[in-house]
Amino acid sequence: MDQQAIQSIVEEVVSRLSVMKPTKRSIPMAVSARHCHLSQSDLEALFGEGYELTKKADLSQPGQFAANESITIVGPRGSLEKVRILGPARNITQVEVSQTDSVKLGLKPPLRESGDIKESAPITLVGPKGSLYKKEGLIIAQAHIHMTPEDASLFGVDNSEYVKIEVNGERPITLGKVLIRVSPRYKLEMHVDTDEANAGSISRGSVGKLIKYEGTL
């Protein structure tokens, strides 16, 4: 076979590979410690009229940041201090804790998708300028994966679908019923709480393998 024919074959192979998409990719993971999202009115009730959050650090999701400000959350059995506020301000106030945190507070927050706080657990919030009792708003956040529509197409999943994530680290673990959340505003990343992270020795930089359920849940 002459050199020109070989070159032609090589170019054809490279061309085909360039348009092929991998069927499996790893999911970068992050640990989401206890935190809260505040509405502007609740922020002002806790920190003073006209108060605006100040940025400590950007988060991985575009437009989101960890604020310098923190509050104390109080339950019937105990309290948790220096609970970080994430910005910017939202339409509703939501506090996210782990199962272990809820035991210390003496409350039973439901496992929910972020944003679904209807009939969730009550919580008292304490800031430097005041305190608030919220009759609902405390949840344990469902483990979830943020991804763009392009990511969803690559993995073959849909928004609101549940998948399993296999983590092969020091303490191998498979996390079930992980929620897919799709938006062009997102960056590919899975969020777990501290209990889930401790169970699987998961830390920033850990990755998981996405496994689709057979059939429907």
Side-chain angles (χ1 to χ4, degrees):
M1 185 178 294
D2 60 30
Q3 186 62 37
Q4 185 175 357
I6 294 174
Q7 182 64 30
S8 178
I9 292 172
V10 170
E11 289 176 354
E12 176 66 17
V13 171
V14 170
S15 175
R16 291 186 180 184
L17 288 175
S18 67
V19 298
M20 291 175 63
K21 292 184 177 180
T23 57
K24 293 180 180 179
R25 268 182 26 195
S26 59
I27 304 286
M29 307 184 74
V31 182
S32 184
R34 68 178 78 108
H35 63 272
C36 66
H37 304 277
L38 297 178
S39 67
Q40 184 61 37
S41 60
D42 285 352
L43 174 65
E44 293 185 22
L46 297 173
F47 287 85
E49 185 176 353
Y51 195 88
E52 297 288 342
L53 292 172
T54 59
K55 185 186 296 186
K56 178 180 176 68
D58 287 317
L59 299 177
S60 59
Q61 296 305 309
Q64 305 297 303
F65 63 89
N68 288 300
E69 292 79 9
S70 62
I71 60 173
T72 296
I73 57 175
V74 182
R77 184 180 297 169
S79 63
L80 298 170
E81 298 180 346
K82 296 182 179 180
V83 177
R84 183 72 59 190
I85 302 171
L86 302 189
R90 292 193 175 183
N91 294 328
I92 57 172
T93 290
Q94 174 179 292
V95 182
E96 299 176 34
V97 296
S98 69
Q99 186 73 50
T100 299
D101 290 334
S102 70
V103 172
K104 183 174 182 180
L105 292 169
L107 292 165
K108 295 182 178 181
L111 181 67
R112 294 280 183 82
E113 177 181 357
S114 179
D116 181 9
I117 65 166
K118 185 177 181 180
E119 298 181 351
S120 57
I123 191 70
T124 297
L125 315 178
V126 181
K129 298 291 186 179
S131 63
L132 284 172
Y133 173 77
K134 306 293 291 186
K135 66 178 183 179
E136 60 185 18
L138 182 70
I139 66 168
I140 298 172
Q142 178 85 45
H144 58 278
I145 303 171
H146 292 282
M147 58 174 63
T148 65
E150 292 76 20
D151 292 323
S153 178
L154 179 65
F155 285 102
V157 295
D158 297 313
N159 186 52
S160 298
E161 182 177 344
Y162 287 107
V163 299
K164 294 183 284 188
I165 295 294
E166 184 180 271
V167 186
N168 292 312
E170 268 190 301
R171 302 176 70 183
I173 188 173
T174 297
L175 299 170
K177 207 173 182 184
V178 177
L179 180 67
I180 298 294
R181 302 184 64 187
V182 180
S183 169
R185 303 188 307 273
Y186 291 156
K187 177 182 177 182
L188 181 64
E189 188 173 64
M190 177 176 173
H191 290 174
V192 297
D193 68 20
T194 49
D195 285 351
E196 292 162 327
N198 289 337
S201 293
I202 298 167
S203 60
R204 179 164 290 280
S206 296
V207 296
K209 176 184 175 183
L210 187 150
I211 303 171
K212 287 176 65 70
Y213 281 102
E214 295 182 6
T216 58
L217 289 182

